[in-house]
Amino acid sequence: QVQLVESGGGLVQAGGSLRLSCAASGLTFSNYCMGWFRQPPGKEREFVAATTSGGGITKCADSVKGRFTISRDNAKNTVYLQMNSLKPEDTAVYYCAASISILPTKGGRYDYWGQGTQVTVSS
């Protein structure tokens, strides 16, 4: 049974930082591209960032470029999202997901999803 478990969310002031983690089990982690998505309140889910199975190539949404960094540790079966210079518009539930495809940005291309972690940025 595949499980993706996010952690690290919380309440932070604008300009602050958070690091999200997603621990994976039940799959060969190093075979999968990993991505982060978010769903702001009242809005649709959107792509945030993704990394290839080996971590050598990453992709980020324009809205977070220069502020967010995705990374992974295949020895720990964990993917991270370092979020700096947070803004109130970053408030959302953040989800990690696993895909056998290469760096997909569409949620439908992901095979497994976590339950999400809430990030709230106050102004």
Side-chain angles (χ1 to χ4, degrees):
Q1 180 183 357
V2 175
Q3 283 193 313
L4 302 177
V5 180
E6 302 96 337
S7 61
L11 174 64
V12 63
Q13 288 189 332
S17 298
L18 282 175
R19 188 175 84 152
L20 305 183
S21 300
C22 172
S25 60
L27 76 171
T28 305
F29 184 72
S30 59
N31 286 352
Y32 284 81
C33 167
M34 296 299 295
W36 286 96
F37 288 74
R38 67 186 183 186
Q39 187 165 17
K43 297 184 179 180
E44 294 187 350
R45 183 179 61 194
E46 61 185 24
F47 171 77
V48 176
T51 177
T52 50
S53 58
I57 301 173
T58 62
K59 181 185 295 185
C60 286
D62 288 343
S63 59
V64 305
K65 273 181 184 175
R67 300 189 299 123
F68 290 12
T69 303
I70 186 171
S71 62
R72 67 190 293 161
D73 185 339
N74 284 352
K76 295 182 178 180
N77 285 4
T78 301
V79 61
Y80 305 97
L81 185 68
Q82 178 66 44
M83 306 186 294
N84 299 329
S85 302
L86 282 161
K87 305 175 181 179
E89 50 264 44
D90 294 319
T91 294
V93 178
Y94 283 72
Y95 300 89
C96 73
S99 174
I100 205 67
S101 302
I102 299 176
L103 286 180
T105 60
K106 302 294 186 185
R109 299 292 302 278
Y110 283 80
D111 305 292
Y112 304 105
W113 291 83
Q115 293 299 306
T117 186
Q118 176 70 47
V119 171
T120 303
V121 184
S122 63
S123 57

